[in-house]
Amino acid sequence: PHLLSQFFFADERVTQVVAEINRLDAELDPQQYLVLLNQLHLSQAHLLAVLEQIMEECIPTQRHSRDYLVKFPEELLVGNLGNHMLFAAECLLAGTFLEVEEADGAQLRPQARKLLSSLELVRTVLREQSLNQPSSYPEPVQAVLVQFDRLFAEFELSYVSSMVVVKSPEEIYRQQEIIVLFCETVGRALRLGYLTQEMIDGYEPLLMFTIPRLAIISGLLIYPEGPLSLERSPDQMSRVFSPFYNLLKKIRDLLQVLSAKELYLLERSLCTAE
């Protein structure tokens, strides 16, 4: 049940797969080589998952800030980003630049070297601790975990910043404005009876269409100073709405000529139409 014991066996598995890869001639048996590479990927992912649990248990108040993750594109946060970063560091150290320019990769190599060296130290220290006292984390163990956590976070931010365009503070603020608009839209829809709390609590699928539709009307008419403000230029709007700037102007012009009753009927129809 001890995390350190789980780490020991996860580490054993990684070591075993690496040994099998080193013994194999990839040119003679390319299919088996790919199988082992996949096993290595899975075993490293499991090792990092256990290590993450250990850090949460051992150094919860000393973890390096991950606030920078809000700057990353959403698609990067769906998969196992940590394992991807480990693979990227190994490639950089081997002189392979898969996702970044060669100049960027050369600058990242020292960070990759420090990260992988720190990981090897963590593996050694945790293996020894798991064999001696698997239920405790003495100060030397905590120290190497703190160092690894910091180096991992620094490399992750640097590598992703070289690989993709991270969100600017302005874009993050614009996204927060959209969140507020959607919250205000839901509150208004509940007050006017367009939606019910039961629909929200039950995750009614229709809401995925209804709320954005109502939010566009709210953003154009009810909260015109918000994220859908057409007084801004398209490049000042969130990238979610900026491509539709001209269409939004046409929608606003049509909405402005509606009476209160017509607007109510329109919004009611948007809550039912698919």
Side-chain angles (χ1 to χ4, degrees):
H2 298 301
L3 286 175
L4 282 175
S5 299
Q6 295 177 34
F7 183 88
F8 177 87
F9 288 108
D11 186 74
E12 282 279 283
R13 179 57 181 159
V14 171
T15 302
Q16 177 189 355
V17 176
V18 170
E20 292 180 26
I21 290 175
N22 290 336
R23 288 194 300 266
L24 183 71
D25 190 328
E27 293 184 358
L28 294 178
D29 196 347
Q31 185 173 359
Q32 179 62 17
Y33 181 70
L34 292 177
V35 170
L36 289 175
L37 278 182
N38 184 58
Q39 290 180 7
L40 178 61
H41 176 80
L42 294 174
S43 61
Q44 286 181 329
H46 179 56
L47 181 73
L48 287 179
V50 177
L51 180 55
E52 177 68 23
Q53 294 180 63
I54 289 174
M55 290 190 291
E56 281 298 307
E57 182 177 88
C58 177
I59 54 168
T61 61
Q62 298 170 275
R63 299 295 304 273
H64 194 83
S65 173
R66 296 301 199 279
D67 289 347
Y68 59 81
L69 289 175
V70 300
K71 297 183 177 183
F72 290 179
E74 283 78 7
E75 58 269 19
L76 281 183
L77 304 176
V78 175
N80 192 335
L81 184 59
N83 203 40
H84 185 82
M85 289 300 101
L86 181 58
F87 177 71
E90 292 169 340
C91 289
L92 288 173
L93 207 58
T96 305
F97 310 107
L98 297 178
E99 301 171 310
V100 297
E101 297 294 331
E102 186 172 347
D104 293 329
Q107 291 184 339
L108 288 166
R109 284 188 73 184
Q111 280 185 280
R113 183 178 294 107
K114 289 181 180 179
L115 173 60
L116 294 176
S117 296
S118 178
L119 177 58
E120 286 304 308
L121 178 59
V122 166
R123 290 176 65 183
T124 300
V125 169
L126 291 186
R127 280 175 65 91
E128 292 176 355
Q129 186 63 25
S130 67
L131 293 172
N132 295 323
Q133 291 179 301
S135 59
S136 65
Y137 302 101
E139 188 173 337
V141 173
Q142 296 181 34
V144 296
L145 289 173
V146 169
Q147 181 188 49
F148 170 75
D149 189 48
R150 175 181 60 80
L151 290 173
F152 198 103
E154 291 174 352
F155 177 78
E156 185 174 57
L157 176 58
S158 298
Y159 186 85
V160 174
S161 298
S162 299
M163 184 176 63
V164 298
V165 177
V166 300
K167 298 172 187 174
S168 66
E170 291 76 19
E171 179 63 21
I172 294 172
Y173 178 75
R174 291 167 190 160
Q175 288 191 338
Q176 291 173 338
E177 281 189 313
I178 294 173
I179 293 171
V180 172
L181 172 62
F182 273 54
C183 290
E184 294 289 344
T185 297
V186 171
R188 177 173 174 269
L190 288 171
R191 291 194 301 271
L192 295 177
Y194 297 152
L195 307 176
T196 65
Q197 191 62 48
E198 289 73 19
M199 294 172 66
I200 297 173
D201 294 340
Y203 301 102
E204 173 63 45
L206 185 61
L207 297 180
M208 295 180 63
F209 302 97
T210 298
I211 294 175
R213 292 167 176 172
L214 294 177
I216 290 175
I217 294 179
S218 295
L220 293 174
L221 290 184
I222 313 302
Y223 310 106
E225 304 299 321
L228 287 183
S229 172
L230 298 179
E231 300 305 317
R232 308 176 181 179
S233 60
D235 59 353
Q236 293 177 315
M237 298 178 70
S238 169
R239 285 179 288 182
V240 174
F241 294 113
S242 58
F244 310 104
Y245 184 82
N246 292 329
L247 177 60
L248 289 171
K249 290 185 69 173
K250 293 178 181 179
I251 294 174
R252 182 196 60 182
D253 294 342
L254 290 172
L255 292 174
Q256 287 177 335
V257 301
L258 297 179
S259 66
K261 182 178 180 180
E262 289 171 332
L263 179 62
Y264 173 80
L265 292 175
L266 172 62
E267 290 185 305
R268 290 289 299 180
S269 67
L270 292 179
C271 295
T272 56
E274 296 184 0

